[in-house]
Amino acid sequence: MPQTFRLARQILCLLTLLVACLAAGPSHALSPVSIGREDIAIDLEPAVEIFRDRGRNFQVSTVPGADGIVRRIEVESTAATPSGDWAVFALSNNSDEQIDRIVVAPHFRLASSGFLWPDLGSQRIAAITPSEGFALDRQESPEADVFLVTLDPGAIITFVAELSSDRLPEIRLWEPNAYKDTVNAFTLYRGIVLGIAGLLAVFLTILFVVKGSPMFPATAALAWAVLAYICIDFDFWQKLVPIVPGQERIWRAGTEVALAFTLVVFLYAYLNLNRWHGILSAFTALWLVGLGALGVLAAFDPPMAAGIARMSMTATAGFGLLLILYLSAMRYDRAIMLIPTWLLIVVWIAAGWLTVTGRIDNDIIQPALGGGLVLIVLLIGFTVMQHAFAGGSFAGGLLSDMERRSLALAGTGDAIWDWDVARDRIFAGCDTEGLDGMPVAAMNGPARDWLPILHPDDRDRFKITLDTILEHRRGRIAQDFRVRDDNGHYHWMSLQARPVLGSNGEVVRCVGTLKDVTERKKAEERLLHDALHDQLTGLPNRELFIDRLDSISCLAATRPDVRPTLFMVDIDRFKQVNDEFGIATGDTILLTVGRRLKRVLKPQDSLARLSSDQFGVILMSESDVAAVGAFAETLRDAVRAPITFANQDIILTASIGLTGWTEGAGADEVLREAELAMYQAKRLGGDRIEPFRSAYKTHSSGRVELESDLRRAFGRNELSLAFQPIIKLSTGEIAGFEALMRWNHAKRGFVSPAEFIPLAESTGLIVQLGQFALDEAARRLADWQRLPGQSKLFCSVNISSRQLIRQDLLNDVRQILKRYHLVPETLKLELTESLVMDNPERSAKLLERLKEMGVGLSLDDFGTGYSSLAYLMRFPFDTLKIDQSFLRGEQVPQRSILVHSIVTMAHELGLAVVAEGVDNDTDAAQLRKLNCEYAQSFMYGHPLTAEEARRRLQERGGRRGSA
């Protein structure tokens, strides 16, 4: 019977224990954390079990004690409004001594706090009750819940913690002295960071008071926002402002919203985005309004407000980085200076994201992020200080002087342009008609109002110019741009202005003049057009035609469907037309032929005038053989159509050569094939259309071989100069020489200039020949001038048409004068009248530049053209050479009269005269009576080599010395 009673009692105990375990849930898995004297800090979070919504009273089974018995305890909440959440953990003292430890649960922990709806901190534990003894004593701490625990030797105690919030991010068991040392260590670090942040905020505020630029209050506001965030994060805020328990989350969310708000304000103010970007300004204003509303939301829902603020900071960092890189590419100095700081901001936000999402989780990261934020503000402070202390002071009386200058400039007819930088207002206007037709209303106002009326290609340049002046606080504005008038037409305006600095070193205004330069721009465009187009017909010239051939050859190499046809059209016996009807009539006929040929072309085809009576056509609109042949007949018919002149019909014919485009062919090769076909048509009598055949290359092998030899002649030293003396008529002494090109071919001997000069003109080698002649003549002249009595000796060098149209001619002449130390007026450049008249506008401009250098200019073959008298006064020649046709030939009275008239006219215009072709003493005497300065002919000397010319000069110098 007793045994039965004991068995029933054991079964009852087991059932009771089973019911208790089922009621306690997972408590059966709770295991005690072993504590030793050497343990300093133990993370209790893995050993803590959380129980949710268990009400005011909580029952739990303890961990088996030292006697192995599991007990059941019940804990009642001490809070007025209990959360119903409980935490259970157990500790065991395995040592033979009593151990004192403290349980620490921080109120806030940034790591793993969450990006959206973050945990902003609160009181974590209301009380801790052990399974035996009294409740644990709470220790005073503003930033954590701290409870003192005393464990007897061998004790195993279960602790029930009443939670004040739904989260317990961290709970640790610390040795009291070690915890105190850790807190003190972080206190020193926090104090240093807080001190730096406070000094920065005060300093930047002082800078804001001293400076008036918007960037300084924006920077100061950011510094104060950072200081507030650091104070909250380092638990310093409650020492300044008493915080009611539960309000920490509101303050923390408020500081994060302030950070996001001031970061946007700083970016906008520092980059000065309001100047040009109206849409961006409106977007920024809406963004700031949203962040302001977020500050109000922080009082009602702090986690939501903090999460949105973090999203705003991330978006600001990303958008700001793109904007800074774009403005840096546009060479905006402020953006370039902000790149290092903004990259640090991006890194800081990335590290913050890794922290709040739990990817970085340690005790150092939270204070490190606070220090990094202060470092960012420090770098921003250094950046804005460069603007604060750069520049000079405002000179007294300068503004009134500027006003006086404006009044003086008003009389010039130019518009006054005044930009008040502080108010961002531009004034443009004057009392004269300088801005007639311009949109004056749109030109007066903010600088960004200019963008809609500026040409799209000029807007960025205009913005960058004004921004650069403001950044550097020095320099001048000298810019041409296009402004749209009231009728929608663009006018070229020239702005000349300079900045005015205020007492703080910043630009306070820019003042200058605004002038309509549309006519000047049109003249420049005409000059450029004339350089690439024929003056008579307006068609593209040879240079532009060859450039188009090069472009088409590149296109044909990549596109099989592009197979153009090249035509060379040469008017037969056109020289006879000029001789019979005159050059003026010949020009009219050429103009008519050019118009007829242009009318038969389609928009994709090209027509050019290659020489006096030669045209080139690039046919792109037709590729079929039959269509190309029909087009060639159309060209011939267009030339053959009668031209009525002076009651008679002039009928012309043309020799037309054509060639197709073959794979791999270059522009030079195709052009040469068309020329060969055209020359074949002329050899067959003209008025023919000849397609290119390979056999034609054999007919021109002599010409091709000569061209190849001419190209190699430079390297073989076959080219040289001959120097024909120019005599001073009054003394009979040599005054100078004319340099003449000579080619001593290795096999053919001397090649006539009449043969290789036209070849060089057609192949482009004339430029290289001209450079050689210019350099060789200058070198010889420098050597001769060192001889006794020859310091004033001069040398004339002929200039070709190819050289005249090249911009490098000025530089070539300048370098040669410098290289050989020549007196500029002793080097004379000879140009024929027909060469100058090919492009009078460009020639006049180029000759003026040469004259400014002091180089002598001689007009050769005077009197052989038809417009020399009309244009003679436009060109700055100092020497005039009378063509030999006026001195040679049949003796007629009119010849003497013409020579007398030419010499008299030249002297009255201040020109020296050189008479060519003097072949008898009678003509020489007559020229001396007319005071003609110089003569040049075979009677005074044949062309000499350089060595012969030097010996002749030495002989004459020796005779003068002996006399």
Side-chain angles (χ1 to χ4, degrees):
M1 186 67 181
Q3 293 179 352
T4 304
F5 180 74
R6 284 196 301 273
L7 180 61
R9 187 174 62 180
Q10 291 176 358
I11 293 173
L12 181 62
C13 290
L14 290 174
L15 290 174
T16 303
L17 181 60
L18 178 61
V19 171
C21 290
L22 293 175
S27 298
H28 66 279
L30 190 68
S31 59
V33 177
S34 178
I35 308 298
R37 296 191 60 83
E38 294 79 10
D39 296 326
I40 296 176
I42 299 175
D43 186 7
L44 296 179
E45 186 176 3
V48 173
E49 292 189 11
I50 306 295
F51 299 85
R52 305 288 184 188
D53 300 326
R54 293 305 177 92
R56 176 179 290 274
N57 296 319
F58 176 65
Q59 295 182 0
V60 67
S61 296
T62 66
V63 174
D67 54 2
I69 298 176
V70 176
R71 295 175 175 82
R72 183 74 173 171
I73 63 174
E74 181 178 354
V75 180
E76 183 178 359
S77 173
T78 60
T81 56
S83 64
D85 296 337
W86 304 82
V88 180
F89 61 93
L91 303 177
S92 66
N93 183 2
N94 297 327
S95 66
D96 55 358
E97 297 181 6
Q98 188 181 62
I99 295 178
D100 292 332
R101 292 290 185 268
I102 55 177
V103 177
V104 180
H107 292 167
F108 175 74
R109 191 169 187 268
L110 184 64
S112 301
S113 62
F115 186 72
L116 296 176
W117 284 271
D119 178 14
L120 298 178
S122 65
Q123 186 178 4
R124 303 298 181 181
I125 300 176
I128 299 179
T129 303
S131 59
E132 57 185 61
F134 297 98
L136 273 61
D137 295 333
R138 179 185 290 273
Q139 307 295 307
E140 291 295 331
S141 176
E143 57 188 62
D145 296 323
V146 181
F147 298 89
L148 178 63
V149 176
T150 301
L151 298 175
D152 294 329
I156 300 176
I157 302 177
T158 301
F159 296 88
V160 179
E162 181 184 357
L163 301 182
S164 301
S165 66
D166 58 348
R167 296 187 185 182
L168 187 62
E170 179 181 308
I171 181 170
R172 292 189 181 184
L173 191 69
W174 282 86
E175 197 278 327
N177 292 328
Y179 178 71
K180 184 183 298 183
D181 293 341
T182 302
V183 171
N184 291 337
F186 277 109
T187 300
L188 176 62
Y189 169 77
R190 292 173 177 177
I192 294 173
V193 173
L194 278 170
I196 296 175
L199 289 175
L200 273 175
V202 173
F203 174 75
L204 292 174
T205 303
I206 295 173
L207 196 62
F208 156 52
V209 175
V210 174
K211 308 294 290 184
S213 177
M215 97 173 73
F216 300 109
T219 307
L222 179 61
W224 283 109
V226 169
L227 179 61
Y229 178 83
I230 295 298
C231 288
I232 292 291
D233 195 52
F234 289 174
D235 294 303
F236 185 74
W237 189 255
Q238 66 270 20
K239 297 179 182 179
L240 302 176
V241 179
I243 299 177
V244 178
Q247 290 186 350
E248 300 94 341
R249 301 164 67 198
I250 298 176
W251 286 101
R252 194 176 300 278
T255 56
E256 292 194 13
V257 172
L259 269 179
F261 185 92
T262 53
L263 186 62
V264 174
V265 172
F266 167 75
L267 180 67
Y268 181 79
Y270 180 83
L271 295 180
N272 209 4
L273 300 179
N274 65 309
R275 182 174 301 125
W276 306 116
H277 308 283
I279 297 177
L280 188 58
S281 299
F283 178 75
T284 304
L286 290 175
W287 196 335
L288 294 177
V289 169
L291 289 175
L294 204 61
V296 177
L297 178 64
F300 302 96
D301 192 343
M304 178 183 289
I308 298 175
R310 293 177 180 182
M311 292 175 61
S312 173
M313 291 183 65
T314 304
T316 302
F319 176 76
L321 180 62
L322 296 177
L323 184 62
I324 289 169
L325 293 178
Y326 168 74
L327 294 177
S328 300
M330 303 298 292
R331 300 184 182 275
Y332 186 34
D333 286 351
R334 288 194 182 186
I336 296 173
M337 295 171 61
L338 193 60
I339 289 177
T341 303
W342 205 261
L343 289 176
L344 187 59
I345 291 175
V346 173
V347 172
W348 185 87
I349 290 179
W353 179 80
L354 293 174
T355 301
V356 299
T357 55
R359 290 170 173 81
I360 298 179
D361 188 356
N362 54 60
D363 295 336
I364 303 299
I365 185 62
Q366 184 171 339
L369 287 175
L373 198 56
V374 175
L375 176 61
I376 290 172
V377 177
L378 184 63
L379 288 178
I380 291 176
F382 287 150
T383 303
V384 299
M385 283 170 59
Q386 297 185 31
H387 296 273
F389 301 109
S393 60
F394 179 63
L398 185 59
L399 185 58
S400 61
D401 178 64
M402 189 63 67
E403 292 173 345
R404 289 194 296 271
R405 294 178 184 222
S406 298
L407 291 175
L409 288 173
T412 64
D414 296 345
I416 298 173
W417 189 84
D418 181 12
W419 181 26
D420 187 341
V421 178
R423 296 189 302 124
D424 191 20
R425 288 292 182 271
I426 293 178
F427 169 78
C430 62
D431 296 333
T432 64
E433 300 178 354
L435 291 180
D436 278 355
M438 294 290 101
V440 177
M443 298 168 72
N444 286 271
R448 63 172 172 265
D449 287 354
W450 279 64
L451 299 183
I453 63 174
L454 288 176
H455 193 280
D457 294 340
D458 299 331
R459 290 172 186 170
D460 289 341
R461 186 160 47 89
F462 182 76
K463 291 192 299 183
I464 292 173
T465 300
L466 298 191
D467 288 339
T468 302
I469 287 294
L470 296 186
E471 291 301 317
H472 293 279
R473 295 175 288 278
R474 63 180 183 272
R476 299 182 67 90
I477 300 176
Q479 189 181 87
D480 294 343
F481 48 82
R482 287 159 287 185
V483 176
R484 188 178 64 246
D485 64 14
D486 295 329
N487 297 323
H489 303 294
Y490 283 100
H491 289 245
W492 277 100
M493 308 298 292
S494 177
L495 175 61
Q496 304 287 332
R498 70 182 181 91
V500 180
L501 302 183
S503 58
N504 57 2
E506 296 289 336
V507 177
V508 297
R509 68 195 308 129
C510 287
V511 183
T513 61
L514 193 64
K515 184 177 182 180
D516 191 332
V517 293
T518 305
E519 293 301 323
R520 189 193 74 190
K521 286 290 184 179
K522 288 182 178 179
E524 293 176 356
E525 291 175 359
R526 284 195 298 268
L527 287 174
L528 180 60
H529 178 274
D530 292 344
L532 298 175
H533 292 78
D534 177 55
Q535 186 74 12
L536 175 64
T537 61
L539 296 174
N541 60 13
R542 189 180 188 91
E543 297 293 328
L544 183 55
F545 187 74
I546 293 176
D547 181 73
R548 289 182 179 177
L549 279 178
D550 289 332
S551 301
I552 292 173
S553 66
C554 296
L555 185 62
T558 57
R559 290 183 53 183
D561 59 317
V562 176
R563 285 296 176 265
T565 304
L566 180 62
F567 293 84
M568 193 72 65
V569 181
D570 187 273
I571 300 177
D572 299 326
R573 294 175 293 278
F574 185 73
K575 186 176 184 302
Q576 297 178 6
V577 176
N578 279 336
D579 294 341
E580 183 175 351
F581 297 97
I583 295 178
T585 302
D587 287 348
T588 303
I589 292 174
L590 286 175
L591 183 59
T592 302
V593 171
R595 290 174 178 172
R596 288 181 176 179
L597 295 177
K598 191 173 183 179
R599 280 198 294 266
V600 302
L601 300 181
K602 294 182 179 179
Q604 59 266 46
D605 303 328
S606 298
L607 173 66
R609 184 187 178 197
L610 304 182
S611 62
S612 61
D613 59 350
Q614 193 174 97
F615 296 86
V617 177
I618 304 175
L619 181 65
M620 299 282 292
S621 58
E622 301 290 351
S623 58
D624 182 70
V625 175
V628 171
F631 178 80
E633 290 291 345
T634 303
L635 290 179
R636 186 168 70 160
D637 293 341
V639 176
R640 293 180 63 182
I643 300 175
T644 303
F645 179 79
N647 297 323
Q648 60 178 318
D649 290 338
I650 301 176
I651 300 177
L652 302 175
T653 60
S655 298
I656 301 177
L658 65 95
T659 182
W661 213 280
T662 57
E663 185 176 356
D668 293 337
E669 182 180 354
V670 176
L671 182 60
R672 187 177 299 110
E673 290 176 355
E675 287 179 342
L676 292 176
M678 182 268 294
Y679 288 135
Q680 180 65 16
K682 293 187 77 69
R683 280 194 292 268
L684 296 176
D687 192 19
R688 293 177 60 91
I689 301 172
E690 282 294 324
F692 171 76
R693 296 180 178 86
S694 300
Y696 293 164
K697 290 186 177 180
T698 59
H699 294 305
S700 61
S701 59
R703 184 176 185 273
V704 173
E705 183 180 355
L706 189 63
E707 177 186 341
S708 300
D709 291 344
L710 181 58
R711 293 182 184 275
R712 291 190 290 266
F714 294 95
R716 295 175 176 177
N717 296 323
E718 295 177 354
L719 297 172
S720 62
L721 292 182
F723 300 91
Q724 186 171 22
I726 300 176
I727 305 301
K728 190 171 185 180
L729 283 171
S730 59
T731 62
E733 298 293 333
I734 296 177
F737 294 92
E738 179 181 0
L740 304 173
M741 185 64 67
R742 293 292 184 263
W743 181 15
N744 186 11
H745 194 280
K747 296 180 179 179
R748 301 186 183 186
F750 283 98
V751 182
S752 171
E755 186 177 357
F756 71 83
I757 292 297
L759 177 64
E761 285 277 4
S762 63
T763 59
L765 292 173
I766 192 65
V767 174
Q768 194 172 354
L769 283 176
Q771 291 175 333
F772 169 79
L774 195 60
D775 186 85
E776 179 69 9
R779 185 172 68 87
R780 296 296 185 179
L781 179 62
D783 175 54
W784 297 336
Q785 287 180 347
R786 288 191 287 268
L787 296 174
Q790 303 298 336
S791 60
K792 295 183 179 181
L793 189 74
F794 65 84
C795 186
S796 298
V797 183
N798 290 282
I799 298 298
S800 67
S801 59
R802 289 291 186 93
Q803 287 178 282
L804 190 63
I805 65 174
R806 293 176 69 249
Q807 293 291 343
D808 293 342
L809 178 61
L810 294 172
N811 187 56
D812 291 343
V813 173
R814 187 181 295 108
Q815 293 297 327
I816 284 174
L817 293 175
K818 182 179 180 180
R819 184 183 306 131
Y820 297 111
H821 306 288
L822 289 176
V823 178
E825 57 264 24
T826 61
L827 179 64
K828 293 183 179 293
L829 305 181
E830 286 195 11
L831 300 92
T832 63
E833 180 184 355
S834 58
L835 175 61
V836 172
M837 292 309 302
D838 279 345
N839 194 333
E841 294 289 342
R842 180 175 178 81
S843 299
K845 188 174 182 179
L846 181 62
L847 294 179
E848 285 291 344
R849 298 283 300 277
L850 289 170
K851 194 62 179 178
E852 291 173 1
M853 294 168 56
V855 176
L857 298 175
S858 178
L859 180 61
D860 198 5
D861 298 340
F862 180 78
T864 60
Y866 62 92
S867 57
S868 56
L869 296 179
Y871 281 88
L872 187 59
M873 296 181 63
R874 292 190 55 184
F875 304 118
F877 291 107
D878 51 47
T879 304
L880 186 148
K881 298 186 77 171
I882 303 177
D883 187 72
Q884 60 185 355
S885 60
F886 290 94
L887 296 172
R888 289 180 178 174
E890 184 181 354
Q891 295 287 338
V892 293
Q894 290 82 355
R895 192 183 69 175
S896 299
I897 296 174
L898 287 175
V899 172
H900 182 273
S901 299
I902 293 173
V903 174
T904 303
M905 178 190 66
H907 287 163
E908 290 180 355
L909 292 176
L911 305 178
V913 180
V914 178
E916 292 184 301
V918 180
D919 55 4
N920 56 70
D921 293 333
T922 303
D923 289 339
Q926 180 185 2
L927 291 170
R928 277 193 290 269
K929 289 180 181 179
L930 294 174
N931 294 323
C932 178
E933 289 85 354
Y934 306 104
Q936 174 184 349
S937 68
F938 290 154
M939 187 178 79
Y940 296 107
H942 289 270
L944 308 172
T945 64
E947 293 74 15
E948 291 171 344
R950 196 176 199 279
R951 285 196 299 270
R952 187 166 178 180
L953 291 172
Q954 288 176 326
E955 291 171 359
R956 297 217 172 208
R959 285 199 294 270
R960 282 198 300 268
S962 61

